[in-house]
Every structure is written in C-alpha cells, then in structure tokens.
Amino acid sequence: MNTRDWLLADSPASRWQANAGRAYRVFTALMRNPLSVLGGVIILVLLLTAAFAPWIAPYSPTGQDLTSRLLPPSATNWMGTDELGRDIFSRVVWGSQITLTIVLLVALISAPLGLLVGAVAGYFGGWIDRILMGFTDVFLSLPKLILALAFVAALGPGINNAIIAIAITSWPAYARIARAETLTIRNAEYISAVQLAGGGPIRIIVQHILPLCTSSMIIRVTLDMAGVILTAAGLGFIGLGAQPPLPEWGAMISRGRTFILDQWWVATMPGFAIIIVSLGFCFLGDGLRDVLDPKSEGKS
Amino acid sequence: MAIDQQSAPPSPGPTLAHRRVQRMLATVGGFAITLLLTFLGLLAITFFIGRVIPIDPVLAVVGDRATQAQYDAARIAMGLDLPLWQQFISYVGKVFSGDLGMSVSTGRPVIEDLSRFFPATFEMATLGILIGCVIGIPLGVTAAARQGSWIDQIIRVVGLLGYSVPAFWLGLVGLALFYARLRWVGGPGRLDIFYDGLVSPVTGMILIDSLLQGEIDIFWNAVSHIILPAAVLGFFSLAYIARMTRSFMLDQLSQEFVTTARVKGVPERVVIWRHAFNPIRVPLITVVGLSYAGLLEGSVMIETVFSWPGIGNYLTTALLNADMNAVLGSTLVIGAVFIVINKVSDVLYRVLDPRAR
Amino acid sequence: MTAPLLTVENLRVSFPTHSGRVEVVKGLSFTLGRERLGIVGESGSGKSMTGRSILKLIRKPGLVTADKLNFEGIDILDQNEKQMRAIRGARISMVMQDPKFSLNPVMTVGEQIAEALVTHQKLPRRDVQARIIEMLHAVRINDPERVARLYPHEVSGGMGQRIMIAMMLIPEPELLIADEPTSALDVSVQAQVLDIIDELVRNKGMGLILISHDLNLVSRYCDRILVMNAGHVVEECAAGQLANAQHPYTRGLLAAMPVINETRDELPVLDRTQWAGT
C-alpha cells in the first residue's frame, strides 16, 4: 500500500490517518485551482523573505547614504532609494517581517477570542448568549478602521498597540461564525452522548465544538488577513502604527507622500508589496473556501 | 401567506392593508430599539476609550507641570471622582445634548467643527457611491449573465483588488498620474486657491452651492478637484457592489422562475433584467448601504491624501495632536452615521420586499 | 395518423463530470401526434431532460444531439436562439413542477401571465387584460380580477399551478409539456389540476407530453406511455395495454403499486438485476 492509498483510505484506521487524509484531499483540491496555488506561492515567498531577510536584502534597511538620495530604480537599487538614501528594496524585504508579525499576532489574538466567545454563547444560549452576542453585534456594526484608530489614539502610537487595536476590532466576526457553527452542533447526538458520559461544558466546548469550527475559521481568517494588512498599513500611513525608522510598508508610503509628484517610486514600491501580499491571502482564502465550504461562495 | 379562493374574504383590501401597516410598525419599532441599543454600545466604547484606557486622563488635560491642587480641581471638574457608571450616565447625557467637549487643536467645540467638516465628506462619499452603483451594478449583472467570459474574469480581479489595494496608496498614485503627470484633474483640496472662499456656504457642498449661486467656473473647478478622490472611493464600492451583484444574480439565474421566463419565449435581456435583476434590487439596497457606510470609513484615508477638509482629515489631525475630544467626537459621528445607514438599509429590505410584507 | 407534431430520433443529452461526459438520455426515439403521451420513470431516468431538450433549454455545458428533432417540419436543433424564442411559449410550452419556485416572486400573477401573451402577440392593453381574465376563468379561478393582482406567495400551491397552466396556455401553443405538474401538490388538488390540463388540451386539440413518476396517473390521463429507465426507453405501449407490459422494469414498477383489496403482505422491491446491462 503506497502513501497515497493510505491517505485516501475510505476507512482510516486512526484519527491521525483521517486527519492526514483530509489535509491531503484539501491540498490536492487546492492544487487544482491555479489562483489558490498562486496565493499559496505568494504566502510562501512572504514567509521565506521574512525568514531570510538579512541574506536577501542587498543593503541595510536603515543604513543612510545622503549622497545617493531619491535615486530612481536601477540595477543597483531595484526600487530606487528614499530621501535618506536608503535602498527601498531592502526596506521592503525587511518590512515583510513586520507585516508577517502583525498578521500572525492579530490572528493569534482575535481568532481564539472570537471562537471562545461564540462557542460559549452558542453552547449555553439564553442570557449568556444574548449579552455576548449583543456586545458582538455592537462591535460588528461599527466601522473597524475608525474604531482601531480611536483605540490606538488612546493607547498611544506604536506597532504593539496597533496590533492590539486591530485584534480588538477583528474578533466579533469570528464570534458570529463560531456561534452559528456551535448552534448547529449543539444538539447533535454525539454531544448528548458526551453529556451523558459526564463530560462538562468546558470539555465539550474545547474538545468537541471548537475543533469543528476550525475549518470555517481558517477560511475566514485567511480572507480577513488582507484587511488586517490594509488596516495596519493605514495606521502606519497616518503615523499611528510602526514608527520610523522601522521599514513598515504603510509608514514608508507615508514618507514617500512628500515626493509623490516627482519621485513616484518612493511611495509606489511599498504599495505593490502590500497589494501582492494581500492578493495572496485573498486567492488562498477564496480557494480554501471553495474547497472547504463550497456553499457559501460569494457571501462574504 | 396562502389565500385560497374559497377561504378568502370577498374584499380583503382593508384588512390586508391594515395587517401590513401593523407589521410595518412592529418592524420600525424593533428597529428603533436596536438602533438605540447599538448607539448606547457605541457610546460605551467611546467612553471606555476616552476615560478608562488612558492611564491618567487628568494628566492628559492639565499637563505634567500642574500642581497637586490644580490636578485635584481638574479631576473633580471632569467628574472622575464619581463611580464609573455615574460618569457614563453624565457622558451619555452630554452627548445627547450635543456636547462633545472642546477641541484642543482648534479651540472650538467639537460639535461645531464636525458640522463644518461633515458636508465635504458627505459630498465626496455620495459621489463615490454613485460612481460605484452606476458602474458596479451593470458590471456585476453582465458578469453573471456571461459567467466565465472575459468580463466575468475582470470583475473577479477588480473584486479582489478592491480587497487588497490600500485606498491611500491608490489616491497617491492617482495624484501622481492624473494630476502631476497628465494634468487631467485638479490637485489636493476642494478648489484652486484663487477660488477659495468665493462661494458662501449654504449646504456646505461646493458642487451644490456654486450652482445655486450661479458660479459655473467654480463649479467646474470643484468638479475637477472632487472627481479623483470620488473615483478612488468609487473604485472600492464598485469592486464590492459588482462582486455582490454578480453573486446575487448567479443565485437568481439558477432559479426555476428564470427557466419559466425562458419557456415563455421571453428575450434574454428581459430574462436578465426583469426576472433575475428585479428580485435582487432589495438586497442590493443593503449592499449599497453597507458600501456607503464603508466609504465613510475609507474617506478618512482618502481625505488625508487629498487634503480634503472633511471629517476624516479632522480626525487624523486630531489623532496626531492627541486631541481626544475631537477623536472621540469624530468616532462617534462616523460610527452613528455608519450604524444608521446599516440599520436603515436593513429595514428598507423588510419594508420593500413583497415577500416580507 | 396525419403528419406527426413532433418526431424525435436518437435523442442524447449529456453533461460533463469529473470522470468524462455522462449521458442522461441515451438514444430516445418517439413520435407524437395531437395526442397525449406519458413519459414515466423514476427520478434520474432522464425524463425531465427529454422535456427540456425539446425546448432547447439545456444550458451549456450540457449537450443535446439527435438524428432528428423535428417539430411541425422545423428542425429544432437547427434553430438559433432568436428563432427558438419564437417557438417557446407560442408553439411549445411547458408547465413546470413546483409553482413555489417556478413563478417569479416579485411580479404579480397578472403581470406574469400578460408577459407570456405580449411576448408573442402585440395586443391593446384592454384585450390583454380580457384574455388574462378569460384564461384564469378557464383554469377555474373564480375571482380572476383579484387573483391577477396577487403575488405568487399569496396563493396556494394548487392555485399557483393553475396560474402556471394559464400562463403557459395563453399564447395557444400546439404542444404542452407538463413536467411533473402535480408532484409538488397536495394529493387532494392533483386530480383537479390534471383535469384542467386534460380538458384544455383536448378542447384545443393540442399535443401533450405528461412527464411523471406516477404510473397510475399517466395511464389515466394519457393515450400512450413511454417507460424510461436510466436514459433508455424500456417500454412503449398504449395506456390501456399497460397491464400487459413486457419489460421486467415496467412489470416491477407495476408490481410495486398497491391495489385496493390488497392480498399481499409486503410490496415487492424492484429487482434491478433482471435488466441490468440494458
């Protein structure tokens, strides 16, 4: 029996085999869609760039060279140089680390928070549900960016506060999804079976409900990442996110604003990086949705 | 509701209408309550941001060189010695009486500033949503009618770009290209400098004011200034509206009654617009409403880029000056408009759809 | 018999799937005069696809081929979309399964019936209105002026289906295809709806293709019966001769029907091995 047969077995012998088989099926389905492959490649390149930034970037991201200020793109400076003579390409490469950090931290804070709130509300129902969801709905009906701006204003500018602010404004969407999923699972026979066997609510939520919410959660988080990147860049652009001299893409665009009329590359180049990475998450998220949740196509 | 001919009363007119009115009132009543609750939620959040998060809001007001006596006086004047819930109630009372505090940077009451800056934002966002609807809806319909064609692919790409291009970046690139290089449009601001202040504000919207006062030159100058930021905003609403229109249309086109129309021999154009498009007009209102609310948000970035004297610009200036009253006031106003648009489009949905009546 | 209304020879309908094209109708042939033909089969036997391919309503990527698909001397497969529109509704019409889904939810009943008429005939407004009222009367709707102003969700299923019939018959077609016209309705109104179809079709001398899974019903309302299974015709006989059917599939279906004064303890289940491979 070869690996493929083992993965595609109709009756897996262990939970590990079942999980691996499912992952394999999702993977092969994704590989059939050229756009999700492209998205995956983009994310992979982002990861590699962030990991190997010191080796990829030809110059230091902060090394100033006032004699070579505002040079247009050329063979030595692929994306030109900025007003302090720094190589824009090197800064974009280093900036991938910041973007990746923001994206990962926001996902790690907001997704579990949303999951927990939604699962608890859905499982217990009644007053707990009403209070939690009322709270969630208020957050959902407010403009995310404005809310994030106000939070950063109160917390003070900086990348950590930007991450906190974005996470605070992102969890409600996940809570909605988790609640909807929990409601459909809650009355299933096997949940009753666990209850009869003496399983408490914590055990049921953590071991039996949360794992079933993960696939819709992964889709949603991936699709939302583009928005997170845009919000973070927006905060950086306004001057409330990452502070100079950090090579954050939004902040770089903000610096380049002054020169946009004559030295267009200073502001434009980091923008392309933002667009490509956001598109990567969109493509991958779309592909994942088609594979994992074909019914909800188009209803974002 | 199924009325068979046998069971229906001979003239059901008044009772039916009566029931419709009743249901509508119930909808509107529920609407008012959720609106109020959501608005209270918004107030709680701005209150939390303004009074709870800052480590010491008093210090932010009096500065760190104040004496202990000054400090204590300010603390009591701000009501910070009271329990939190009392502070919240007095905050809500103030907001409802239109008191949003003074802006540190302009020295005027925040509410006054906001009412001065709002029309500029409103003008730009409205033009943006018009662009989004006029282009986005036909594009979405065409994409669905010719699923898989090149126009469908374009919609797909435009839709994804709408989610992945930073608005402020698109504005900058637009300025560099259409203003600096091609000279097709006016630059930042609402008017060229020598036209500034020539129109007295009536509505606060220059396009309308200049026409009212017969200043055609100024009108065209204002058009050349507003068209680029409005087009950038329009692009984002277009992307969203086209994508949603396409998805709604695909859903409708797979319905049986569309086949019925084809069986009748109805031309394809009529099948698409009368049979598939008409039922989605109502859900589209919600989409347009959401998109419009989103534009208010997007205008924060766009106004910064185009030095557009609207609420967004006011908000970012306030943010950089740590002018919390102005920040919270703008958040409150934008949030309130956002909520109202959201809920109104939701109610319109229920009132306009014959199936929900 | 005079020249047939419809001639079908070797009709094939196929759809692409992951594992190649799958034929859902595999070489169907029949002729139809101004008579009532029943097509019977279980779900998935290809009977609905047969109805739709006569109207050329199979959308891409579905594919329809036939040696001959001839309606009153017109080669259907040769017609372009514009020519087909002149045939659909006006000459061949179809009553669909469930009025809950097949009537447009945001147009009034009257508007939808009017549309069927004015698509093919330019008539003054008053005449259109008169024709609609007359047609609604013909399908035994008592209060046509009021019903014409209702939306589909405001009428019952049985009434919805009578409206559907009115809509499909108002341009006076020569052939009506009724695709499971009563399977979404309550048993109590099924006969009523079929009686209306039957009466109108006979009075106007039209051809009828009644597609159904219900053998009893088809044998009651039709002159001739085709029994379809998995895309093939397995039996063709006059309605009265059904009891003498030869093919094991038909016999199986007949045997599975309960009868009054039943003496069997258990109804037999279709034994598909008998004709497997046909």
Side-chain angles (χ1 to χ4, degrees), chain B residues 76-90:
Chain B
I76 292 169
M78 290 169 75
L80 289 174
D81 50 334
L82 299 171
L84 218 50
W85 65 271
Q86 279 187 11
Q87 289 185 39
F88 180 62
I89 287 173
S90 82

mmCIF file of all heavy atoms in Angstrom, chain B residues 76-90:
data_model
loop_
_atom_site.group_PDB
_atom_site.id
_atom_site.type_symbol
_atom_site.label_atom_id
_atom_site.label_comp_id
_atom_site.label_asym_id
_atom_site.label_seq_id
_atom_site.Cartn_x
_atom_site.Cartn_y
_atom_site.Cartn_z
ATOM 1 N N ILE B 76 -11.918 66.701 39.783
ATOM 2 C CA ILE B 76 -13.312 66.831 40.227
ATOM 3 C C ILE B 76 -14.155 67.481 39.131
ATOM 4 O O ILE B 76 -15.277 67.053 38.845
ATOM 5 C CB ILE B 76 -13.386 67.623 41.543
ATOM 6 C CG1 ILE B 76 -12.753 66.770 42.652
ATOM 7 C CG2 ILE B 76 -14.830 67.979 41.895
ATOM 8 C CD1 ILE B 76 -12.504 67.506 43.943
ATOM 9 N N ALA B 77 -13.578 68.463 38.445
ATOM 10 C CA ALA B 77 -14.314 69.125 37.369
ATOM 11 C C ALA B 77 -14.684 68.125 36.280
ATOM 12 O O ALA B 77 -15.742 68.208 35.656
ATOM 13 C CB ALA B 77 -13.466 70.256 36.776
ATOM 14 N N MET B 78 -13.806 67.144 36.013
ATOM 15 C CA MET B 78 -14.097 66.151 34.993
ATOM 16 C C MET B 78 -15.008 65.050 35.521
ATOM 17 O O MET B 78 -15.397 64.158 34.761
ATOM 18 C CB MET B 78 -12.786 65.532 34.491
ATOM 19 C CG MET B 78 -11.948 66.515 33.672
ATOM 20 S SD MET B 78 -10.293 65.893 33.348
ATOM 21 C CE MET B 78 -10.620 64.676 32.099
ATOM 22 N N GLY B 79 -15.305 65.102 36.805
ATOM 23 C CA GLY B 79 -16.208 64.099 37.366
ATOM 24 C C GLY B 79 -15.556 62.751 37.569
ATOM 25 O O GLY B 79 -16.236 61.735 37.658
ATOM 26 N N LEU B 80 -14.213 62.729 37.614
ATOM 27 C CA LEU B 80 -13.534 61.436 37.688
ATOM 28 C C LEU B 80 -13.543 60.845 39.090
ATOM 29 O O LEU B 80 -13.111 59.724 39.292
ATOM 30 C CB LEU B 80 -12.093 61.580 37.190
ATOM 31 C CG LEU B 80 -11.984 61.791 35.683
ATOM 32 C CD1 LEU B 80 -10.561 62.070 35.279
ATOM 33 C CD2 LEU B 80 -12.538 60.596 34.936
ATOM 34 N N ASP B 81 -14.008 61.651 40.088
ATOM 35 C CA ASP B 81 -14.088 61.088 41.437
ATOM 36 C C ASP B 81 -15.350 60.259 41.604
ATOM 37 O O ASP B 81 -15.490 59.502 42.557
ATOM 38 C CB ASP B 81 -14.067 62.226 42.470
ATOM 39 C CG ASP B 81 -15.083 63.305 42.137
ATOM 40 O OD1 ASP B 81 -15.419 63.447 40.932
ATOM 41 O OD2 ASP B 81 -15.545 63.990 43.068
ATOM 42 N N LEU B 82 -16.288 60.405 40.663
ATOM 43 C CA LEU B 82 -17.542 59.651 40.751
ATOM 44 C C LEU B 82 -17.320 58.204 40.305
ATOM 45 O O LEU B 82 -16.363 57.921 39.597
ATOM 46 C CB LEU B 82 -18.599 60.299 39.845
ATOM 47 C CG LEU B 82 -18.956 61.737 40.201
ATOM 48 C CD1 LEU B 82 -19.838 62.338 39.114
ATOM 49 C CD2 LEU B 82 -19.638 61.792 41.569
ATOM 50 N N PRO B 83 -18.254 57.298 40.724
ATOM 51 C CA PRO B 83 -18.146 55.920 40.210
ATOM 52 C C PRO B 83 -18.322 55.896 38.689
ATOM 53 O O PRO B 83 -18.957 56.784 38.121
ATOM 54 C CB PRO B 83 -19.280 55.178 40.916
ATOM 55 C CG PRO B 83 -20.034 56.175 41.705
ATOM 56 C CD PRO B 83 -19.315 57.465 41.692
ATOM 57 N N LEU B 84 -17.789 54.845 38.088
ATOM 58 C CA LEU B 84 -17.728 54.766 36.635
ATOM 59 C C LEU B 84 -19.107 54.880 35.981
ATOM 60 O O LEU B 84 -19.287 55.570 34.985
ATOM 61 C CB LEU B 84 -17.069 53.429 36.245
ATOM 62 C CG LEU B 84 -16.140 53.484 35.035
ATOM 63 C CD1 LEU B 84 -15.130 54.609 35.155
ATOM 64 C CD2 LEU B 84 -15.443 52.154 34.866
ATOM 65 N N TRP B 85 -20.114 54.202 36.612
ATOM 66 C CA TRP B 85 -21.425 54.217 35.954
ATOM 67 C C TRP B 85 -22.043 55.599 35.966
ATOM 68 O O TRP B 85 -22.728 56.009 35.032
ATOM 69 C CB TRP B 85 -22.364 53.172 36.576
ATOM 70 C CG TRP B 85 -22.734 53.414 38.020
ATOM 71 C CD1 TRP B 85 -22.059 52.963 39.107
ATOM 72 C CD2 TRP B 85 -23.838 54.166 38.503
ATOM 73 N NE1 TRP B 85 -22.666 53.387 40.243
ATOM 74 C CE2 TRP B 85 -23.767 54.126 39.918
ATOM 75 C CE3 TRP B 85 -24.887 54.869 37.891
ATOM 76 C CZ2 TRP B 85 -24.708 54.764 40.720
ATOM 77 C CZ3 TRP B 85 -25.818 55.499 38.699
ATOM 78 C CH2 TRP B 85 -25.726 55.446 40.099
ATOM 79 N N GLN B 86 -21.773 56.380 37.026
ATOM 80 C CA GLN B 86 -22.286 57.758 37.042
ATOM 81 C C GLN B 86 -21.591 58.610 35.986
ATOM 82 O O GLN B 86 -22.205 59.428 35.317
ATOM 83 C CB GLN B 86 -22.074 58.374 38.418
ATOM 84 C CG GLN B 86 -23.141 57.948 39.408
ATOM 85 C CD GLN B 86 -23.024 58.691 40.721
ATOM 86 O OE1 GLN B 86 -22.285 59.654 40.842
ATOM 87 N NE2 GLN B 86 -23.764 58.234 41.713
ATOM 88 N N GLN B 87 -20.295 58.363 35.870
ATOM 89 C CA GLN B 87 -19.560 59.073 34.819
ATOM 90 C C GLN B 87 -20.161 58.776 33.459
ATOM 91 O O GLN B 87 -20.323 59.658 32.618
ATOM 92 C CB GLN B 87 -18.099 58.637 34.821
ATOM 93 C CG GLN B 87 -17.298 59.137 35.994
ATOM 94 C CD GLN B 87 -15.846 58.754 35.832
ATOM 95 O OE1 GLN B 87 -15.300 58.795 34.742
ATOM 96 N NE2 GLN B 87 -15.208 58.365 36.926
ATOM 97 N N PHE B 88 -20.506 57.493 33.247
ATOM 98 C CA PHE B 88 -21.047 57.090 31.953
ATOM 99 C C PHE B 88 -22.380 57.782 31.682
ATOM 100 O O PHE B 88 -22.627 58.302 30.602
ATOM 101 C CB PHE B 88 -21.210 55.567 31.899
ATOM 102 C CG PHE B 88 -21.757 55.076 30.584
ATOM 103 C CD1 PHE B 88 -21.041 55.281 29.401
ATOM 104 C CD2 PHE B 88 -22.981 54.425 30.520
ATOM 105 C CE1 PHE B 88 -21.536 54.838 28.190
ATOM 106 C CE2 PHE B 88 -23.481 53.986 29.297
ATOM 107 C CZ PHE B 88 -22.754 54.187 28.141
ATOM 108 N N ILE B 89 -23.237 57.823 32.734
ATOM 109 C CA ILE B 89 -24.540 58.449 32.541
ATOM 110 C C ILE B 89 -24.396 59.928 32.204
ATOM 111 O O ILE B 89 -25.032 60.442 31.267
ATOM 112 C CB ILE B 89 -25.425 58.260 33.793
ATOM 113 C CG1 ILE B 89 -25.876 56.805 33.852
ATOM 114 C CG2 ILE B 89 -26.636 59.192 33.760
ATOM 115 C CD1 ILE B 89 -26.613 56.441 35.100
ATOM 116 N N SER B 90 -23.487 60.598 32.889
ATOM 117 C CA SER B 90 -23.338 62.024 32.591
ATOM 118 C C SER B 90 -22.741 62.204 31.190
ATOM 119 O O SER B 90 -23.076 63.136 30.474
ATOM 120 C CB SER B 90 -22.488 62.709 33.661
ATOM 121 O OG SER B 90 -21.125 62.509 33.404
#
